[in-house]
Amino acid sequence: MSIIKRIAIFGSTGSIGTQALEVIAANPTLFSAEVLTAYSNDELLVEQALKFNPNIVVIGDDKKYHKVKEALAKTTIKVFAGEDALVEVAALNCYDIMLAAIVGYAGLRSTLQAIECGKTIALANKETLVVAGDIVMQKALENKTPVIPVDSEHSAIFQCLVGEGRNKIEKIVLTASGGPFLGKKPNYLVNVKRDHALQHPNWSMGAKISIDSATLMNKGLEMIEAKWLFDLKPEQIQVVVHPQSIIHSMVMFEDGSIKAQMGLPDMKLPIQYAMAFPHRIPNTFPRYDFRKPNTLTFEEPDLRTFRNLVLATEALFKGGNLACVMNAANEIAVFAFLHNRISFLDITEVVERTMNKIAFIEAPTLEEYFDTDGEARSFAASLIKL
Ligand code: NAD
Ligand code: MG
C-alpha cells in the first residue's frame, strides 16, 4: 500500500474502536485516524484526539459538547455533537474508510449515510444488517460501496472466499464459542448475574455483545448478518459450537471442499484485515502454535437451553421486519439485564413476546424499519416496565 488510508472510527471509545486505534498507531505510514466518535466517554475521546490529531471528533451526548470543545481548544480539531452530527460527518470528504463500530441500532443511520457516499465500510456493527440488511446491501450495490466484515466469523468467511470468483457455496459454518454458560441448563441460568454473564472465556468485548454471546443471541444476529453479507439462503447457514475459538468460521463449496480461517482469538486481526484489504500487513500479534498440546472440538448448539438461537432462526427464515423487531427487543432486554432489572432468562422471554406482538411487514421500507424499531422498543420496555 502506498497511499495512507484515512479512517473514520465511529465508536472509537469502544472495544473495537480502541483496538482499531492500536492498529493505526502500529501502522502510521498506512493509516491515519481522521474522525473519532463516542457517545458519552468524553475523557477517552479527548485523550484519543490529542494522541491521533484527527480532523473531527463527534460526541453523541450533546450535553458534553462544551467539555470536549474546551479540552481541544488549543488544537485545530473540529468538534461536533449529537446524533444528527454523526450522520452529517459520515458524509464528509475527509476520510476513505468508515470503521462502523458503534454498538446497536444507533449505528444504522451513519453507516447508511457513508454507504450512500460511496465510502468503504469496515463493518463491526452487525445490528445494521440485522435491522435492515436488504436495504443496506442494496444501497451498497447501487453506490458500489465495498462492505468488508470485521466480525471475526464473517471476516473468516470473507477471507475464505477471496480468489473463489463465482464458485458456488454449498453452506457456511459459523463457529460459536458457546459463551460463558456452555453446557449449562436453565436451572443454572435462572440465577446467573450480570457480572458472571459478562465474563467471556475467549474474547474481551463491550457489555452488550458479551451478554449476547452468553445468551447465544450474538450467533443468531450473526446468522442474519451472514445472510445479507454473502447473499445466502437461510438453509445454507449452519452454526456449530467450537469452544476453543481457533477456527473463526468455514465455507463448504459445492464440491464438498471446506476452507477455514484460523488464528488465535484477537479482534485486531479482522480489524486490520478489513482496513488493509486487499493487502495483508505484518504485525506482532501472538501466533497459534500447532505443536503445543491442543484439541479442536465441535458440537451442536443446545437449542432447548439457548432459545434465542431458535428465535433468530425464525427471523432468518421469515425475513421482513422480524429481525428488526427481534433486535430492538433484545437491545431493550439486554440493557435491562445489565441494569439488574430483569433476570438472564427473561431476556429471551421479552424478545419472544415482542416478536409475537409486533405486526409483520413482508418487505418494509426504511421508514417502516425505523417505525418497527420504535414500536418493538416501546412494547419490550412495557414488558419490563422501564
Ligand atoms: P462497546 O460498547 O465497547 O463500544 C461501543 C461504541 O459505540 C462506543 O464508542 C460508544 O461510545 C459508541 N456508542 C454507544 N452508543 C451510542 C449511541 N447511541 N450513539 C453513538 N455512539 C454510541 O461495543 P463493542 O464491543 O466495541 O462493539 C461495537 C460493535 O461491534 C457492536 O455492534 C458489536 O456487535 C460489534 N462487534 C464487536 C466485537 C468485539 O470484540 N467487541 C466483535 C465482533 C463484533
Ligand atoms: Mg462474531
Side-chain angles (χ1 to χ4, degrees), residues 326-379:
M326 179 185 79
N327 178 71
N330 183 58
E331 287 191 25
I332 294 290
V334 169
F335 180 85
F337 175 72
L338 283 169
H339 290 80
N340 302 313
R341 301 286 297 273
I342 60 173
S343 75
F344 187 77
L345 293 178
D346 285 343
I347 298 175
T348 306
E349 198 65 31
V350 169
V351 173
E352 183 166 30
R353 287 179 62 186
T354 310
M355 286 172 76
N356 288 336
K357 174 75 182 180
I358 303 299
F360 182 68
I361 306 173
E362 181 89 45
T365 61
L366 191 56
E367 290 307 318
E368 284 171 327
Y369 278 125
F370 293 159
D371 292 346
T372 296
D373 175 80
E375 281 172 41
R377 274 170 203 273
S378 307
F379 183 74

Side-chain angles (χ1 to χ4, degrees), residues 52-66:
F52 288 91
N53 193 28
N55 234 291
I56 293 172
V57 299
V58 185
I59 181 86
D61 180 356
D62 35 21
K63 290 191 291 300
K64 301 209 162 163
Y65 171 74
H66 290 290

Side-chain angles (χ1 to χ4, degrees), residues 9-19 37-41 44-45 48 58-61 82-83 86 100-107 110 123-128 150-154 203-210 212-213 218 221-222 225 266-268 270-271 331:
I9 307 183
F10 278 61
S12 66
T13 53
S15 161
I16 293 289
T18 50
Q19 293 182 83
T37 88
Y39 183 65
S40 61
N41 192 344
L44 182 54
L45 182 66
Q48 292 176 339
V58 185
I59 181 86
D61 180 356
E83 253 179 69
L86 285 171
I102 290 178
V103 58
Y105 177 85
S110 50
L123 187 74
N125 177 253
K126 64 192 84 183
E127 293 91 345
T128 285
V150 168
D151 212 349
S152 58
E153 297 75 3
H154 305 74
W203 303 92
S204 160
M205 309 179 285
K208 193 249 174 190
I209 185 177
S210 295
D212 284 346
S213 299
N218 184 49
L221 300 176
E222 289 183 355
E225 181 186 12
D266 182 347
M267 284 309 295
K268 287 202 289 299
I271 291 169
E331 287 191 25

Side-chain angles (χ1 to χ4, degrees), residues 77-297:
I77 302 166
K78 298 183 223 34
V79 181
F80 298 97
E83 253 179 69
D84 291 342
L86 285 171
V87 182
E88 284 154 25
V89 169
L92 299 181
N93 282 330
C94 62
Y95 76 98
D96 310 304
I97 301 178
M98 172 191 272
L99 175 64
I102 290 178
V103 58
Y105 177 85
L108 174 63
R109 283 174 62 221
S110 50
T111 307
L112 266 175
Q113 180 68 272
I115 288 175
E116 283 177 0
C117 296
K119 309 287 188 182
T120 296
I121 310 291
L123 187 74
N125 177 253
K126 64 192 84 183
E127 293 91 345
T128 285
L129 289 181
V130 174
V131 170
D134 52 347
I135 291 179
V136 172
M137 292 312 285
Q138 183 56 35
K139 284 196 189 295
L141 200 68
E142 284 163 13
N143 292 286
K144 301 191 173 50
T145 303
V147 180
I148 305 168
V150 168
D151 212 349
S152 58
E153 297 75 3
H154 305 74
S155 174
I157 291 162
F158 188 90
Q159 293 182 53
C160 291
L161 293 175
V162 168
E164 290 293 343
R166 288 169 184 270
N167 289 335
K168 288 216 177 76
I169 297 172
E170 187 162 301
K171 68 176 174 203
I172 62 160
V173 181
L174 290 177
T175 51
S177 68
F181 304 133
L182 176 61
K184 303 294 189 211
K185 297 290 171 199
N187 61 353
Y188 176 91
L189 295 178
V190 72
N191 292 318
V192 301
K193 293 285 177 279
R194 167 187 193 281
D195 290 348
H196 190 180
L198 283 171
Q199 301 302 317
H200 196 277
N202 304 342
W203 303 92
S204 160
M205 309 179 285
K208 193 249 174 190
I209 185 177
S210 295
I211 302 304
D212 284 346
S213 299
T215 63
L216 288 206
M217 179 55 92
N218 184 49
K219 214 47 56 180
L221 300 176
E222 289 183 355
M223 290 195 294
I224 298 165
E225 181 186 12
K227 165 173 144 177
W228 296 120
L229 272 173
F230 305 112
D231 195 19
L232 298 168
K233 295 194 182 70
E235 46 280 357
Q236 288 176 291
I237 303 167
Q238 197 174 69
V239 169
V240 65
V241 174
H242 166 49
Q244 299 80 19
S245 297
I246 298 298
I247 293 186
H248 298 306
S249 278
M250 300 178 258
V251 179
M252 183 184 284
F253 293 93
E254 61 179 353
D255 60 357
S257 180
I258 302 162
K259 276 188 175 178
Q261 187 264 338
M262 307 171 71
L264 289 174
D266 182 347
M267 284 309 295
K268 287 202 289 299
L269 186 52
I271 291 169
Q272 169 181 304
Y273 183 84
M275 294 196 315
F277 182 78
H279 305 281
R280 288 189 184 272
I281 55 178
N283 58 43
T284 56
F285 309 157
R287 268 41 177 169
Y288 184 66
D289 185 352
F290 281 92
R291 295 162 305 182
K292 294 226 173 94
N294 51 44
T295 314
L296 300 183
T297 62

Side-chain angles (χ1 to χ4, degrees), residues 4-9 12 17-36 51-52 97 99 268 271-272 275 281 285:
I4 285 201
K5 291 189 178 185
R6 300 171 305 162
I7 315 287
I9 307 183
S12 66
T18 50
Q19 293 182 83
L21 284 172
E22 286 180 47
V23 172
I24 293 174
N27 297 281
T29 58
L30 301 179
F31 306 120
S32 69
E34 296 300 337
V35 177
L36 301 176
K51 179 165 178 199
F52 288 91
I97 301 178
L99 175 64
K268 287 202 289 299
I271 291 169
Q272 169 181 304
M275 294 196 315
I281 55 178
F285 309 157

Side-chain angles (χ1 to χ4, degrees), residues 315-334:
L316 171 76
F317 274 84
K318 201 161 170 198
N321 63 343
L322 195 56
C324 174
V325 173
M326 179 185 79
N327 178 71
N330 183 58
E331 287 191 25
I332 294 290
V334 169

